[in-house]
């Protein structure tokens, strides 16, 4: 959305396709107030931010075309065609001059017996059910992972009236921001540090789980604890969605700090493919605030490449966005992100 | 239906209630919301049985990326029910194995 807005504001025609039923990506599921900086609307609840962006998009009715429930299924590098499908069977092809791939992230799963059982859900899925559609995800949830996502989703589940059987975390301290941990602790949820999930219990659906303490080398030790739960919620991290980037033959690198394979990019977020830009979680797992600024940068990059807007405007906006990113990446977490980004950024693509 | 009634932050605006069937049983859901969400609200957790190991599957990602939620909808197999909007009168069925593609179309 941010890339579209920025490119459209400089005069580009944009077709925005999103596989979800509504625009906004992860934002529409976030009921908590955001961290980050004032520029990026810290203190505003996630779903409100997406409403603001949507309203902004509505002012470009003439030049921005939006398709929801529409998945980009393939990029054909021979001729630059992108195939898309609306719903499950209405295919069309489109040949854009420039493309921004901002496909977000997908959730990680851990290997353990019975992890296929219905009731083992990704944290994002649980959020979608309860925060977007108002459906109760289960009666009693075991959360796996005490990073920000695990903590926030636990808290959100309690707001929706669902009991949390416990939060399991492999490390010896919670990974999330202190406020989120404090909120869940206050409500009396047991947090099992240095524990992992050994198996899901149940025949056809989840009926519980076995968890166990682990040692310094993550090997299980000590006694197994049986937990009753009908949902096991996996909040063990995300990894960038980059199938289309691979298909396009973009140069990719594995960067642990960014949680997976990511495309090499220049300062405008352009990949090694001259017509393709990346932004957001697809370019490395970070936060929505940074994702939105990256989107803006990619939008300017695309407009520049298409000859829309003045050179001074492009460089002016880039400087402003770079400053905003630097603000966001000031902290300890930001340092790790910056290290990661330096592993996959080139100053300029040699032509 | 298993819906969140009271929420400190959110107010749920549901669309029109419509009837659909799951394995022949009549159920209610909201038009335009994902089939998978409607099923879940009706207490249905198992959406398909896998081809080789015959294991049960429900949904996992809820954003159309993992294939866990494939079902047969109006006779068509492998429909991602987590991103397919519910319509009135839809026939939703548990998918057994790979599903069979209808050849009469
Ligand atoms: C529980 C939780 C709490 C969070 N809290 C915060 C916070 O406090 N502050 C913060 O800054 N960030 C937070 N985040 C992170 C933030 O939500 C993400 O970093 C951000 O949403 C990334 O934006 P994005 O646009 O890159 O990806 P997404 O929001 O994931 O959007 C990607 C979009 O692309 C679509 N898509 C994917 N593939 C295709 C395709 N092939 N064709 C068409 N469409 C496709 C998807 O449907 C989706 O709508 C949180 C995340 C979670 C899960
Ligand atoms: S639950 Fe993953 S594709 Fe539907």
């Amino acid at each position: 959305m941010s890339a579209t807005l920025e490119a459209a504001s400089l005069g580009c025609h944009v077709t925005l396709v999103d596989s979800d039923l509504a625009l906004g990506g992860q934002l529409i599921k976030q009921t908590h107030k955001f961290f980050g900086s004032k520029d990026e609307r810290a203190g505003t609840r996630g779903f409100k931010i997406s409403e603001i962006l949507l309203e902004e998009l509505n002012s470009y009715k003439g030049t921005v075309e939006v398709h929801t429930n529409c998945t980009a299924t393939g990029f054909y590098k021979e001729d630059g065609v992108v195939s898309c499908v609306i719903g499950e069977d209405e295919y069309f092809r489109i040949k854009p001059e420039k493309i921004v791939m901002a496909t977000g992230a997908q959730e990680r799963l851990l290997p353990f017996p019975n992890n296929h059982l219905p009731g083992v859900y990704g944290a994002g899925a649980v959020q979608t059910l309860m925060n977007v559609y108002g459906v109760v995800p289960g009666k009693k949830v075991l959360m796996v992972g005490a990073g920000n996502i695990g903590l926030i989703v636990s808290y959100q589940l309690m707001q929706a009236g669902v009991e949390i059987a416990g939060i399991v975390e492999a490390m010896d301290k919670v990974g999330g921001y202190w406020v989120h941990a404090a909120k869940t602790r206050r409500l009396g949820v047991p947090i099992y540090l240095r524990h992992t999930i050994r198996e899901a219990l149940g025949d056809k659906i989840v009926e519980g789980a076995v968890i166990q303490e682990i040692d310094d080398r993550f090997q299980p030790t000590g006694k197994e604890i049986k937990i009753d739960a009908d949902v096991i919620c996996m909040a063990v991290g995300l990894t960038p969605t980059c199938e289309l980037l691979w298909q396009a033959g973009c140069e990719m690198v594995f960067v642990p700090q960014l949680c997976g394979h990511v495309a090499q990019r220049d300062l405008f977020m352009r990949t090694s493919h001259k017509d393709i830009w990346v932004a957001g979680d697809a370019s490395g797992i970070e936060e929505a605030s940074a994702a939105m600024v990256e989107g803006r940068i990619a939008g300017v990059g695309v407009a520049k490449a298409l000859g829309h807007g003045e050179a001074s405007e492009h460089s002016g906006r880039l400087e402003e966005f770079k400053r905003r990113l630097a603000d966001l990446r000031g902290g300890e977490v930001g340092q790790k992100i910056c290290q990661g980004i330096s592993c996959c950024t080139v100053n300029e693509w040699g032509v | 239906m298993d819906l969140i009634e009271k929420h400190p932050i959110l107010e749920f605006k549901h669309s029109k209630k419509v009837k659909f069937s799951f394995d022949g049983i009549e159920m209610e859901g909201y038009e335009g919301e994902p089939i998978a969400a409607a099923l879940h609200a009706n207490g249905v957790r198992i959406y398909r049985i896998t081809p080789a190991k015959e294991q049960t599957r429900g949904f996992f990602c809820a954003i159309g990326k993992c294939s866990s939620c494939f079902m047969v909808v109006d006779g068509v197999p492998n429909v991602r029910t987590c991103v397919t909007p519910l319509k009135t009168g839809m026939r939703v069925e548990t998918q057994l194995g790979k599903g069979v593609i209808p050849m009469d179309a």
Side-chain angles (χ1 to χ4, degrees):
Chain A
M1 289 171 97
S2 301
T4 301
L5 284 170
E6 202 63 25
S9 77
L10 286 162
C12 301
H13 281 251
V14 187
T15 305
L16 175 58
V17 303
D18 195 295
S19 47
D20 221 321
L21 300 183
L23 294 184
Q26 301 305 309
L27 286 177
I28 58 172
K29 310 169 191 176
Q30 309 309 338
T31 50
H32 63 286
K33 293 186 177 149
F34 266 43
F35 285 109
S37 62
K38 259 267 135 350
D39 282 337
E40 266 50 73
R41 305 198 174 86
T44 307
R45 298 185 196 279
F47 71 96
K48 290 276 180 209
I49 300 178
S50 106
E51 286 172 10
I52 295 169
L53 293 176
L54 199 60
E55 213 164 283
E56 239 183 285
L57 265 184
N58 283 335
S59 62
Y60 292 102
K61 280 241 155 68
T63 51
V64 174
E65 191 182 323
V66 177
H67 295 281
T68 51
N69 194 16
C70 178
T71 306
T73 53
F75 176 82
Y76 296 82
K77 61 178 174 193
E78 297 74 20
D79 53 8
V81 166
V82 180
S83 59
C84 298
V85 57
I86 301 178
E88 297 290 282
D89 47 21
E90 198 184 317
Y91 281 87
F92 68 90
R93 297 187 308 166
I94 177 167
K95 192 171 169 177
E97 286 176 85
K98 308 289 170 200
I99 305 172
V100 179
M101 294 186 178
T103 44
Q106 45 211 28
E107 274 169 306
R108 292 206 180 128
L109 182 58
L110 295 176
F112 57 84
N114 285 335
N115 67 2
H116 62 83
L117 283 179
V120 178
Y121 297 154
V126 166
Q127 278 195 310
T128 307
L129 263 192
M130 68 175 171
N131 293 348
V132 184
Y133 299 110
V135 175
V136 182
K139 291 192 180 65
K140 206 168 173 187
V141 175
L142 175 69
M143 183 65 62
V144 183
N148 271 326
I149 296 186
L151 294 172
I152 294 171
V153 176
S154 296
Y155 185 68
Q156 292 176 352
L157 278 160
M158 288 185 274
Q159 283 181 323
V162 178
E163 191 185 336
I164 304 291
I167 306 179
V168 183
E169 167 59 52
M171 307 308 273
D172 52 14
K173 61 177 200 299
V174 298
Y177 290 131
W178 179 83
V179 265
H180 296 314
K183 266 194 212 167
T184 30
R185 279 233 178 79
R186 250 194 330 266
L187 290 163
V189 175
I191 300 185
Y192 299 92
L193 298 174
R194 291 171 76 99
H195 275 70
T196 191
I197 179 163
R198 290 307 308 275
E199 68 172 314
L201 300 172
D203 178 23
K204 292 197 162 57
I205 59 172
V206 168
E207 287 161 17
V210 175
I211 65 169
Q212 194 175 15
E213 199 173 330
I214 46 178
D215 64 20
D216 294 338
R217 282 168 301 128
F218 295 102
Q219 294 307 309
T221 69
K223 72 172 191 317
E224 299 187 337
I225 307 172
K226 192 171 160 281
I227 305 246
D228 277 331
D230 61 347
V231 170
I232 298 172
C233 182
M234 304 300 298
V236 290
L238 302 164
T239 187
T241 305
C242 45
E243 289 87 350
L244 291 169
L245 293 156
W246 284 108
Q247 283 178 17
C250 297
E251 276 172 40
M252 306 290 288
V253 266
F254 183 79
V255 182
Q257 294 96 329
L258 301 178
C259 306
H261 278 94
V262 295
Q264 302 236 43
R265 76 296 303 265
D266 69 5
L267 298 174
F268 275 107
M269 304 302 291
R270 191 185 214 160
T271 69
S272 63
H273 189 298
K274 70 172 183 26
D275 296 327
I276 299 178
W277 280 252
V278 271
D281 280 357
S283 69
I285 305 302
E286 197 178 345
E287 296 211 314
S289 36
M292 290 186 285
V293 185
E294 284 176 348
R296 299 261 171 199
I297 293 178
V300 178
V302 165
K304 178 172 180 261
L306 285 171
H308 290 294
E310 302 294 326
S312 61
E313 205 169 8
H314 303 140
S315 54
R317 290 196 190 191
L318 178 66
E319 283 316 308
E320 156 75 8
F321 294 141
K322 270 177 30 193
R323 180 192 62 75
R324 277 157 64 174
L325 277 181
D327 271 0
L328 289 170
R329 291 170 179 160
E332 199 184 314
V333 185
Q335 230 170 23
K336 191 191 88 182
I337 297 282
C338 289
Q339 266 174 15
I341 289 176
S342 67
C343 302
C344 55
T345 305
V346 299
N347 267 331
E348 216 172 334
W349 291 108
V351 206
Chain B
M1 278 187 274
D2 224 348
L3 299 176
I4 299 169
E5 307 283 346
K6 274 208 315 271
H7 197 282
I9 296 164
L10 295 170
E11 222 182 291
F12 295 103
K13 288 181 270 229
H14 292 287
S15 52
K16 196 174 90 187
K17 232 183 216 174
V18 294
K19 287 191 167 47
F20 70 101
S21 73
F22 165 69
D23 287 349
I25 307 161
E26 184 172 284
M27 291 184 173
E28 277 185 334
Y30 295 103
E31 187 172 55
E33 296 191 358
I35 298 171
L39 287 172
H40 209 281
N42 280 281
V44 179
R45 300 285 182 276
I46 301 169
Y47 298 173
R48 68 177 174 112
I49 312 288
T50 57
K53 295 193 178 162
E54 301 192 0
Q55 292 170 335
T56 49
R57 286 284 196 290
F59 73 88
F60 176 71
C61 73
I63 50 172
K65 284 184 177 177
C66 76
S67 312
S68 188
C69 66
F70 281 178
M71 297 181 85
V72 183
V73 177
D74 289 335
V76 179
N78 303 323
V79 172
R80 294 171 303 164
T81 52
C82 68
V83 287
T84 301
L86 184 70
K87 289 196 197 106
T88 184
M90 262 182 170
R91 246 181 332 113
V92 183
E93 292 163 283
T94 306
Q95 177 162 326
L96 306 177
K98 293 182 197 162
V100 182
I101 295 176
M103 295 304 279
D104 52 2

